[in-house]
Amino acid sequence: MSNNAMLSRVEDERVLVLERVFDAPRELVFKMFKEPEHLKHWWGPRGWELPVCSVDFRPGGVWHYCMKCVDRNQGQFYGMESWGKGIYKEISEPESISYTDYFSDAEGTINEEMPSTEVTLEFVDLDGKTKLINRGEYVSAEALQSVMEMGMLQGITDTWNRLEEHLNEIK
């Protein structure tokens, strides 16, 4: 892993902003978010796999996925599935992606009990490296707090570490 730590801050009590620099060209980092064959290698925390990942990468298109814990050392989480559904709003390749991220079930039915996130990913070209800026906007400070309590920050840290490892393998 590099020493490019993820920076995080909260704006307006309900917007989580995450930033990290990856040592890879912007087009390649962007590609990692649009192609299921790449997402399957890195999306999710360590010890979790993506056995289901379908992507219709266009405004109005849906990304439906399942993260499954395959690490017996994670105790009560072993075997657990976590389904998600993203609905793309705007795509400007290779600069940005915005989508609404929902918790869902295997059929893609949105779980209204769980907070959704308005996600904007910005890919900033830094002379061959890429700064990824992830803005996650929640309906309230309480909704943001609830996902933080679920361990979301550690999960994203693991996920972005795995992204960096995957980029290093393929570039």
Side-chain angles (χ1 to χ4, degrees), residues 4-66:
N4 286 327
M6 181 176 70
L7 303 175
S8 66
R9 67 182 182 277
V10 174
E11 297 176 350
D12 301 325
E13 298 183 346
R14 60 185 188 87
V15 180
L16 179 63
V17 180
L18 308 170
E19 296 183 11
R20 182 160 171 179
V21 175
F22 293 93
D23 187 11
R26 178 168 68 169
E27 290 74 13
L28 183 59
V29 177
F30 188 94
K31 186 177 183 179
M32 297 300 104
F33 285 83
K34 73 181 255 190
E35 297 180 1
E37 57 270 22
H38 288 297
L39 284 160
K40 287 179 180 182
H41 287 277
W42 65 270
W43 185 263
R46 235 173 259 294
W48 292 67
E49 291 181 350
L50 213 61
V52 176
C53 181
S54 64
V55 177
D56 180 8
F57 194 70
R58 61 179 177 80
V62 172
W63 171 31
H64 189 223
Y65 61 92
C66 172

Side-chain angles (χ1 to χ4, degrees), residues 123-166:
F123 302 83
V124 181
D125 183 15
L126 299 176
D127 292 325
K129 294 184 180 186
T130 305
K131 179 192 273 189
L132 177 58
I133 303 168
N134 178 330
R135 293 180 56 82
E137 186 172 335
Y138 295 83
V139 68
S140 66
E142 295 77 24
L144 171 56
Q145 186 60 35
S146 73
V147 296
M148 295 294 272
E149 290 170 1
M150 287 183 231
M152 189 228 348
L153 203 52
Q154 181 59 49
I156 291 177
T157 300
D158 277 359
T159 298
W160 285 13
N161 288 343
R162 293 179 66 199
L163 170 57
E164 181 173 60
E165 292 162 9
H166 183 61

